[in-house]
Amino acid sequence: MDIKKIKIGSTVYSIKDETARNDIKAVKIPAGNSKKPVYFNANGVPTPSAYTLADACAKGVATSVASGNTNLVTSGAVYSALADKGSYEKGTWPAEFNNGGTVQKTATGEYVKIGDMVYVYVSSGVMTTALTIDRISGLPFPVRNTSPTNISALFYAKGNTNTSNDMKLASSPITSKTVFIGNASYNTLDLWGWYKIS
Amino acid sequence: MEIKENKTVDMLTKDTVSILTQKFITIEGVDQQVGENHRQAYVNSEKGRTELQEKEPANVVDSVLSIWGDVPTVADPETSDEEKG
Protein backbone atom coordinates (compact mmCIF):
# COMPACT_ATOMS: atom_id res chain seq x y z
CA MET A 1 0.00 0.00 0.00
CA ASP A 2 1.32 3.43 -0.90
CA ILE A 3 1.53 5.76 2.10
CA LYS A 4 2.87 8.92 0.48
CA LYS A 5 4.96 10.26 -2.29
CA ILE A 6 8.11 12.28 -1.68
CA LYS A 7 10.47 14.12 -3.96
CA ILE A 8 14.24 13.95 -3.62
CA GLY A 9 15.98 16.17 -6.11
CA SER A 10 14.01 15.77 -9.32
CA THR A 11 12.97 12.20 -8.58
CA VAL A 12 9.61 11.27 -7.02
CA TYR A 13 9.36 8.22 -4.76
CA SER A 14 6.34 6.42 -3.40
CA ILE A 15 6.67 5.25 0.21
CA LYS A 16 5.23 1.75 0.59
CA ASP A 17 4.06 0.08 3.78
CA GLU A 18 5.64 -3.33 4.08
CA THR A 19 4.24 -4.20 7.48
CA ALA A 20 4.33 -7.88 6.81
CA ARG A 21 8.05 -7.59 6.29
CA ASN A 22 8.47 -5.18 9.20
CA ASP A 23 9.79 -2.63 6.77
CA ILE A 24 8.95 0.25 4.48
CA LYS A 25 10.45 0.98 1.12
CA ALA A 26 10.59 3.81 -1.37
CA VAL A 27 9.67 3.10 -4.96
CA LYS A 28 10.68 5.42 -7.75
CA ILE A 29 7.72 6.86 -9.63
CA PRO A 30 8.09 7.45 -13.34
CA ALA A 31 8.17 11.09 -14.41
CA GLY A 32 4.85 12.63 -15.33
CA ASN A 33 2.84 11.38 -12.32
CA SER A 34 0.98 13.97 -10.28
CA LYS A 35 2.91 15.25 -7.26
CA LYS A 36 1.36 16.49 -4.06
CA PRO A 37 2.93 17.96 -0.91
CA VAL A 38 3.10 15.91 2.22
CA TYR A 39 0.61 16.89 4.93
CA PHE A 40 0.38 15.83 8.54
CA ASN A 41 -2.52 15.51 10.92
CA ALA A 42 -2.67 17.00 14.44
CA ASN A 43 -0.61 14.13 15.80
CA GLY A 44 2.16 14.57 13.26
CA VAL A 45 1.05 11.58 11.15
CA PRO A 46 1.07 12.01 7.35
CA THR A 47 -2.44 12.53 6.04
CA PRO A 48 -3.88 13.46 2.65
CA SER A 49 -4.78 17.02 3.67
CA ALA A 50 -5.55 19.38 6.53
CA TYR A 51 -2.21 20.29 8.13
CA THR A 52 1.25 21.40 7.13
CA LEU A 53 4.32 20.25 9.02
CA ALA A 54 4.43 23.59 10.92
CA ASP A 55 0.83 23.13 11.97
CA ALA A 56 1.54 19.65 13.21
CA CYS A 57 4.52 20.94 15.24
CA ALA A 58 2.43 23.71 16.76
CA LYS A 59 -0.32 21.28 17.62
CA GLY A 60 2.28 19.14 19.29
CA VAL A 61 3.21 22.00 21.63
CA ALA A 62 -0.28 22.99 22.71
CA THR A 63 -3.66 22.49 21.18
CA SER A 64 -4.46 26.16 21.87
CA VAL A 65 -1.94 27.31 19.25
CA ALA A 66 -3.77 28.09 16.04
CA SER A 67 -2.37 27.71 12.56
CA GLY A 68 -0.20 30.70 11.74
CA ASN A 69 -0.22 31.96 15.32
CA THR A 70 3.22 33.24 16.26
CA ASN A 71 2.36 34.32 19.79
CA LEU A 72 3.65 32.60 22.88
CA VAL A 73 1.42 30.26 24.82
CA THR A 74 -0.59 32.49 27.13
CA SER A 75 -2.80 30.05 28.96
CA GLY A 76 -3.20 26.44 29.89
CA ALA A 77 -0.96 23.91 31.57
CA VAL A 78 2.18 24.79 29.58
CA TYR A 79 1.86 28.46 30.46
CA SER A 80 1.25 27.68 34.13
CA ALA A 81 4.30 25.45 34.28
CA LEU A 82 6.50 28.09 32.65
CA ALA A 83 5.19 30.87 34.86
CA ASP A 84 5.80 28.81 37.98
CA LYS A 85 9.16 27.26 37.18
CA GLY A 86 10.73 29.29 34.43
CA SER A 87 9.95 32.92 35.18
CA TYR A 88 12.99 34.73 33.84
CA GLU A 89 13.59 38.36 33.03
CA LYS A 90 16.62 40.53 32.55
CA GLY A 91 16.97 44.23 32.13
CA THR A 92 18.31 47.46 33.54
CA TRP A 93 17.49 49.68 36.50
CA PRO A 94 18.20 53.35 37.24
CA ALA A 95 20.71 53.38 40.08
CA GLU A 96 21.14 56.54 42.11
CA PHE A 97 24.19 56.92 44.33
CA ASN A 98 23.04 59.05 47.25
CA ASN A 99 24.37 60.77 50.30
CA GLY A 100 21.62 61.47 52.79
CA GLY A 101 18.80 61.93 50.34
CA THR A 102 20.80 63.80 47.72
CA VAL A 103 21.70 62.13 44.45
CA GLN A 104 25.47 62.32 43.86
CA LYS A 105 25.69 60.22 40.72
CA THR A 106 23.50 58.05 38.50
CA ALA A 107 24.30 54.88 36.59
CA THR A 108 22.45 52.11 34.81
CA GLY A 109 22.41 48.84 36.73
CA GLU A 110 21.64 45.36 35.48
CA TYR A 111 19.27 42.77 36.89
CA VAL A 112 18.27 39.19 36.29
CA LYS A 113 15.08 37.87 37.84
CA ILE A 114 14.63 34.12 38.15
CA GLY A 115 11.39 33.15 39.81
CA ASP A 116 11.14 35.34 42.88
CA MET A 117 14.91 35.91 43.23
CA VAL A 118 16.50 39.04 41.80
CA TYR A 119 20.22 39.43 41.13
CA VAL A 120 21.53 42.96 40.70
CA TYR A 121 24.76 44.68 39.75
CA VAL A 122 25.75 48.27 39.23
CA SER A 123 28.97 50.22 38.97
CA SER A 124 29.33 53.93 39.55
CA GLY A 125 32.16 54.11 37.05
CA VAL A 126 35.16 56.27 37.84
CA MET A 127 34.31 59.52 39.62
CA THR A 128 36.88 62.20 38.95
CA THR A 129 36.26 63.65 42.39
CA ALA A 130 35.70 61.33 45.35
CA LEU A 131 32.08 61.41 46.47
CA THR A 132 30.53 60.53 49.79
CA ILE A 133 27.95 57.79 49.26
CA ASP A 134 25.80 56.12 51.90
CA ARG A 135 23.09 54.41 49.85
CA ILE A 136 22.13 53.24 46.38
CA SER A 137 18.49 53.45 45.38
CA GLY A 138 16.38 52.55 42.39
CA LEU A 139 16.22 48.75 42.71
CA PRO A 140 14.08 47.16 39.99
CA PHE A 141 11.83 45.31 42.46
CA PRO A 142 11.03 46.06 46.08
CA VAL A 143 12.70 43.84 48.67
CA ARG A 144 10.29 41.35 50.16
CA ASN A 145 8.85 41.90 53.60
CA THR A 146 9.97 38.87 55.57
CA SER A 147 8.85 39.99 59.01
CA PRO A 148 9.72 39.01 61.68
CA THR A 149 13.18 37.88 60.50
CA ASN A 150 13.63 40.78 58.09
CA ILE A 151 16.26 38.86 56.16
CA SER A 152 15.63 38.66 52.45
CA ALA A 153 18.56 40.40 50.82
CA LEU A 154 22.32 40.09 50.56
CA PHE A 155 24.38 42.80 48.95
CA TYR A 156 28.09 43.50 48.79
CA ALA A 157 29.52 46.86 47.94
CA LYS A 158 33.13 47.21 46.86
CA GLY A 159 34.65 50.62 46.57
CA ASN A 160 37.93 52.19 45.68
CA THR A 161 37.91 54.79 48.42
CA ASN A 162 40.33 57.39 49.63
CA THR A 163 40.73 55.61 52.94
CA SER A 164 40.08 51.94 52.32
CA ASN A 165 39.23 49.41 49.69
CA ASP A 166 37.21 47.06 51.82
CA MET A 167 34.29 44.98 50.74
CA LYS A 168 31.19 45.90 52.70
CA LEU A 169 28.11 43.96 53.58
CA ALA A 170 25.26 46.19 52.57
CA SER A 171 21.68 45.96 53.68
CA SER A 172 18.24 46.92 52.52
CA PRO A 173 15.25 47.48 54.78
CA ILE A 174 12.22 45.36 54.06
CA THR A 175 9.71 46.82 51.64
CA SER A 176 12.39 49.06 50.24
CA LYS A 177 14.14 49.83 46.98
CA THR A 178 17.28 51.19 48.56
CA VAL A 179 20.55 49.56 49.61
CA PHE A 180 22.48 51.11 52.49
CA ILE A 181 26.24 50.75 52.43
CA GLY A 182 27.48 53.01 55.20
CA ASN A 183 28.85 56.46 54.76
CA ALA A 184 32.26 56.68 53.03
CA SER A 185 34.10 58.57 50.32
CA TYR A 186 34.49 56.71 47.04
CA ASN A 187 36.22 57.16 43.70
CA THR A 188 34.44 54.13 42.34
CA LEU A 189 31.75 51.96 43.86
CA ASP A 190 30.33 48.65 42.69
CA LEU A 191 27.33 46.89 44.18
CA TRP A 192 26.20 43.35 43.58
CA GLY A 193 23.93 40.96 45.37
CA TRP A 194 20.60 39.22 45.41
CA TYR A 195 17.30 39.47 47.17
CA LYS A 196 13.91 37.90 47.37
CA ILE A 197 10.70 39.49 46.20
CA SER A 198 7.00 38.80 46.70
CA MET B 1 10.00 54.56 12.24
CA GLU B 2 8.07 55.31 15.40
CA ILE B 3 9.22 53.83 18.70
CA LYS B 4 6.41 53.09 21.11
CA GLU B 5 7.05 53.02 24.84
CA ASN B 6 4.95 50.64 26.91
CA LYS B 7 4.61 50.92 30.68
CA THR B 8 3.49 47.93 32.70
CA VAL B 9 2.33 48.33 36.28
CA ASP B 10 3.66 45.12 37.80
CA MET B 11 3.54 43.52 41.22
CA LEU B 12 1.29 46.23 42.58
CA THR B 13 0.54 45.81 46.28
CA LYS B 14 -0.66 48.28 48.88
CA ASP B 15 2.99 48.90 49.83
CA THR B 16 5.05 48.65 46.63
CA VAL B 17 5.02 48.48 42.85
CA SER B 18 7.51 47.75 40.07
CA ILE B 19 7.09 49.65 36.80
CA LEU B 20 8.37 47.88 33.69
CA THR B 21 9.28 50.05 30.69
CA GLN B 22 9.69 48.50 27.25
CA LYS B 23 10.14 50.02 23.79
CA PHE B 24 8.71 48.57 20.59
CA ILE B 25 8.72 49.17 16.88
CA THR B 26 6.10 47.71 14.57
CA ILE B 27 7.36 45.61 11.66
CA GLU B 28 4.75 44.25 9.25
CA GLY B 29 2.07 44.63 11.88
CA VAL B 30 3.98 42.81 14.60
CA ASP B 31 5.45 44.64 17.62
CA GLN B 32 9.13 43.89 18.10
CA GLN B 33 10.90 44.94 21.30
CA VAL B 34 13.96 47.12 20.94
CA GLY B 35 16.42 47.59 23.75
CA GLU B 36 16.24 45.99 27.15
CA ASN B 37 13.57 45.85 29.80
CA HIS B 38 13.91 48.69 32.27
CA ARG B 39 12.44 48.55 35.77
CA GLN B 40 12.14 50.70 38.80
CA ALA B 41 10.42 49.94 42.08
CA TYR B 42 8.48 52.45 44.13
CA VAL B 43 7.46 52.26 47.76
CA ASN B 44 4.24 53.64 49.20
CA SER B 45 6.04 56.12 51.42
CA GLU B 46 6.00 59.90 51.24
CA LYS B 47 9.24 59.96 49.28
CA GLY B 48 8.24 57.00 47.12
CA ARG B 49 4.97 58.61 46.11
CA THR B 50 6.79 61.79 45.17
CA GLU B 51 9.30 59.84 43.06
CA LEU B 52 6.48 57.99 41.31
CA GLN B 53 4.79 61.23 40.34
CA GLU B 54 8.06 62.77 39.17
CA LYS B 55 9.22 59.85 37.03
CA GLU B 56 6.15 58.11 35.64
CA PRO B 57 3.38 59.31 33.30
CA ALA B 58 0.01 60.38 34.70
CA ASN B 59 -1.89 57.24 33.67
CA VAL B 60 0.62 55.04 35.51
CA VAL B 61 0.53 57.29 38.58
CA ASP B 62 -3.26 57.26 38.60
CA SER B 63 -3.49 53.49 38.38
CA VAL B 64 -0.99 52.99 41.21
CA LEU B 65 -2.56 55.59 43.47
CA SER B 66 -5.98 54.05 42.91
CA ILE B 67 -4.70 51.08 44.88
CA TRP B 68 -2.42 52.94 47.28
CA GLY B 69 -5.04 55.49 48.25
CA ASP B 70 -4.20 58.81 49.81
CA VAL B 71 -2.12 57.71 52.79
CA PRO B 72 1.43 56.23 52.72
CA THR B 73 1.69 52.78 54.28
CA VAL B 74 5.49 52.63 54.60
CA ALA B 75 7.65 55.02 56.62
CA ASP B 76 10.79 56.38 54.97
CA PRO B 77 13.78 55.08 57.01
CA GLU B 78 15.46 57.46 59.41
CA THR B 79 19.03 58.37 58.48
CA SER B 80 20.42 57.11 61.78
CA ASP B 81 18.91 53.67 61.16
CA GLU B 82 19.98 53.47 57.57
CA GLU B 83 23.72 53.35 57.87
CA LYS B 84 24.07 49.68 58.58
CA GLY B 85 27.06 48.92 56.39
Side-chain angles (χ1 to χ4, degrees):
Chain A
M1 180 182 70
D2 285 357
I3 296 178
K4 209 63 215 174
K5 297 178 177 62
I6 62 172
K7 181 179 182 182
I8 302 175
S10 59
T11 304
V12 177
Y13 292 86
S14 175
I15 307 299
K16 288 184 173 296
D17 182 1
E18 297 285 350
T19 304
R21 298 171 49 194
N22 194 26
D23 196 3
I24 61 172
K25 66 180 180 181
V27 178
K28 183 178 179 180
I29 297 176
N33 284 27
S34 61
K35 305 166 189 173
K36 295 179 180 178
V38 177
Y39 289 92
F40 298 83
N41 68 13
N43 297 317
V45 177
T47 188
S49 62
Y51 295 99
T52 66
L53 178 58
D55 293 332
C57 292
K59 293 285 184 181
V61 173
T63 54
S64 61
V65 178
S67 175
N69 190 340
T70 59
N71 292 331
L72 295 172
V73 179
T74 56
S75 64
V78 173
Y79 171 79
S80 298
L82 289 172
D84 182 43
K85 303 296 183 184
S87 171
Y88 176 89
E89 181 185 313
K90 68 190 292 278
T92 60
W93 56 283
E96 294 180 343
F97 296 79
N98 292 270
N99 181 27
T102 304
V103 177
Q104 304 294 315
K105 192 174 192 319
T106 61
T108 299
E110 302 168 26
Y111 74 85
V112 173
K113 173 181 172 291
I114 303 173
D116 57 3
M117 299 298 296
V118 179
Y119 301 81
V120 294
Y121 169 78
V122 68
S123 174
S124 69
V126 176
M127 295 179 276
T128 52
T129 303
L131 297 176
T132 299
I133 306 292
D134 71 349
R135 71 192 73 175
I136 301 168
S137 64
L139 290 175
F141 301 89
V143 177
R144 174 178 127 160
N145 185 338
T146 55
S147 179
T149 59
N150 296 346
I151 299 174
S152 59
L154 178 63
F155 298 99
Y156 279 96
K158 179 81 161 50
N160 176 16
T161 75
N162 288 340
T163 55
S164 69
N165 196 24
D166 295 336
M167 182 179 290
K168 292 188 172 187
L169 179 62
S171 64
S172 179
I174 57 172
T175 319
S176 175
K177 46 167 267 182
T178 302
V179 180
F180 295 95
I181 59 174
N183 189 306
S185 178
Y186 297 95
N187 290 105
T188 65
L189 179 61
D190 289 2
L191 173 82
W192 65 99
W194 55 262
Y195 62 100
K196 190 170 176 62
I197 62 175
S198 73
Chain B
M1 186 171 291
E2 181 185 5
I3 297 179
K4 297 184 296 186
E5 183 177 88
N6 282 8
K7 294 275 186 178
T8 303
V9 178
D10 195 14
M11 303 177 68
L12 176 59
T13 71
K14 64 181 178 57
D15 296 326
T16 59
V17 67
S18 177
I19 305 297
L20 171 63
T21 304
Q22 298 168 299
K23 294 180 178 178
F24 295 89
I25 58 174
T26 302
I27 300 176
E28 296 180 349
V30 178
D31 285 345
Q32 306 279 357
Q33 184 173 354
V34 293
E36 293 187 280
N37 297 325
H38 188 75
R39 275 191 184 269
Q40 182 166 11
Y42 298 93
V43 178
N44 187 7
S45 64
E46 286 191 17
K47 185 178 178 183
R49 295 166 74 100
T50 301
E51 282 186 337
L52 177 72
Q53 291 173 323
E54 288 175 349
K55 296 180 179 178
E56 301 297 343
N59 58 339
V60 171
V61 174
D62 290 345
S63 61
V64 173
L65 294 183
S66 69
I67 300 299
W68 283 4
D70 298 327
V71 181
T73 58
V74 179
D76 286 315
E78 298 293 332
T79 302
S80 57
D81 295 333
E82 294 168 353
E83 296 173 0
K84 299 176 181 177

